[in-house]
Amino acid sequence: MALHPIPINFGQIDPDKLIGRDRVLEICWTRLEQGSSLLVTGERRIGKSSIAQTLDARPRPDWIVVYLNVEAITSVEDLVRSLLAALQREQRIDRRAKKALGGLLDRVSGVSIAGTGVEVRQRTERAAYELLQELIEKTSESSKLLLILDELPILAQTLAKNSVDDALLLLRTLRSLRAAYPNHRQLLCGSIGFHHLLADATEIKAAVNDLFTIAVDALDPNSAAVLAQGLLLGIGREVALEDPIITAIVEATDGIPFYEHHLVAALEHQER
Ligand SMILES: Nc1ncnc2c1ncn2[C@@H]1O[C@H](COP(=O)(O)OP(=O)(O)OP(=O)(O)O)[C@@H](O)[C@H]1O
Ligand SMILES: [Mg+2]
């Protein structure tokens, strides 16, 4: 790969600056095309979200891809609202589906029925799930729809604080939607695993065991070296791929891109 500077980045990465993930991206698309929904797993900070965001930023033709980080979402109503807003922004959705989504948006504002009783909450939740189903049905009518829910285990954990059944209902509903709509896929990932949700994880597993697992590893040594080289160039240090500093960075970080960014950031202001 041609040598080019890579800016140090601790936030969302520019897909053009993603190094060493072509193969895993290819596998994701192959499995999605074959009909699987995906569970993307891997150590903390290994690069799961960056892969998910790149699928969103570079969708294959015929696909509508929506990426949502659901970490801060606290209810199913909020989830539906955020999804609708994200879908409304999607260029690839045809006019008919956009119109239908507009109708759902009007309804979602009426979903939060005033009151705090259990019955009111259940009714609100039911209405939100109905909307979620309609939203997927309408959007996946004429195109393939990939919904990426990053940090879903955190949302499930938030729901589980009220009741574990609420978390299970969300996971089971998502599963039934995957099964019901042939044009619809999901990609689920997060910084914690689903097994953290419950002491007895059997039911959680049952709700996600239809997913094809994509295990994300550290970068291969060559890609890790290319990233180190690009990051160094980004801070004004041009070195060959074989330079000992590159070998040292790759070894010290185990090829985990996040740590490479950190290490090179530490070198940035060091006296030479
Ligand atoms: N392939 C890559 N090439 C270059 N930089 C990368 C790559 N993958 C990840 N990074 C960098 O590492 C940071 C952390 O990656 P990312 O957020 O994707 O990891 P994660 O596995 O989702 O982490 P968490 O476990 O916290 O959810 C990103 O902000 C990005 O700067
Ligand atoms: Mg992440």
Side-chain angles (χ1 to χ4, degrees):
M1 190 188 289
L3 180 63
H4 61 277
I6 299 174
I8 292 166
N9 178 298
F10 299 118
Q12 191 165 328
I13 198 168
D14 169 358
D16 288 335
K17 309 286 185 224
L18 192 82
I19 301 291
R21 296 303 193 197
D22 290 352
R23 194 168 163 270
V24 71
L25 288 167
E26 186 66 34
I27 294 172
C28 286
W29 281 118
T30 304
R31 295 294 171 242
L32 290 165
E33 298 271 10
Q34 288 167 343
S36 296
S37 280
L38 309 176
L39 178 67
V40 174
T41 65
E43 277 177 46
R44 290 260 10 221
R45 298 299 191 183
I46 202 96
K48 304 174 291 293
S49 296
S50 302
I51 290 168
Q53 286 154 1
T54 304
L55 291 170
D56 175 43
R58 304 260 182 278
R60 289 236 166 132
D62 304 337
W63 283 85
I64 292 167
V65 182
V66 173
Y67 172 92
L68 214 58
N69 184 321
V70 298
E71 186 172 2
I73 289 177
T74 53
S75 68
V76 182
E77 302 91 89
D78 277 351
L79 174 66
V80 174
R81 219 171 273 131
S82 304
L83 269 177
L84 269 171
L87 285 166
Q88 286 278 347
R89 289 192 296 269
E90 246 325 300
Q91 307 277 337
R92 289 188 171 184
I93 293 183
D94 64 35
R95 251 192 311 146
R96 206 162 56 104
K98 269 236 162 101
K99 211 168 148 222
L101 288 176
L104 294 184
L105 203 58
D106 292 340
R107 271 169 54 201
V108 86
S109 9
V111 153
S112 299
I113 305 155
T116 51
V118 173
E119 200 197 316
V120 170
R121 209 176 55 75
Q122 282 173 347
R123 256 196 300 149
T124 307
E125 194 178 62
R126 233 182 355 258
Y129 276 123
E130 274 168 23
L131 281 173
L132 179 64
Q133 179 180 349
E134 279 188 55
L135 173 162
I136 285 170
E137 185 177 318
K138 295 204 154 72
T139 326
S140 68
E141 234 162 43
S142 50
S143 324
K144 288 182 243 176
L145 171 69
L146 170 62
L147 218 58
I148 300 177
L149 299 178
D150 199 352
E151 300 297 5
L152 183 66
I154 293 188
L155 170 56
Q157 206 169 42
T158 306
L159 297 181
K161 277 187 198 140
N162 179 53
S163 141
V164 169
D165 285 345
D166 286 0
L168 274 172
L169 182 61
L170 172 65
L171 298 181
R172 286 180 183 144
T173 305
L174 288 172
R175 182 184 173 131
S176 69
L177 292 170
R178 298 193 285 273
Y181 298 100
N183 268 347
H184 170 52
R185 313 273 187 280
Q186 292 161 15
L187 183 154
L188 309 181
C189 60
S191 48
I192 57 166
F194 285 103
H195 57 278
H196 285 291
L197 289 176
L198 281 177
D200 173 12
T202 324
E203 286 181 285
I204 298 279
K205 275 197 201 128
V208 293
N209 66 5
D210 61 315
L211 299 166
F212 189 96
T213 300
I214 303 278
V216 180
D217 283 326
L219 296 180
D220 66 87
N222 185 57
S223 301
V226 169
L227 176 58
Q229 189 188 34
L231 288 168
L232 285 169
L233 190 59
I235 62 162
R237 285 200 191 183
E238 187 170 346
V239 294
L241 212 49
E242 303 73 30
D243 194 286
I245 191 176
I246 302 256
T247 319
I249 292 173
V250 173
E251 277 177 11
T253 58
D254 287 330
I256 297 182
F258 175 75
Y259 296 125
E260 291 196 52
H261 283 260
H262 265 276
L263 222 171
V264 176
L267 294 174
E268 192 175 10
H269 299 294
Q270 207 181 47
E271 299 276 334
R272 283 194 231 175

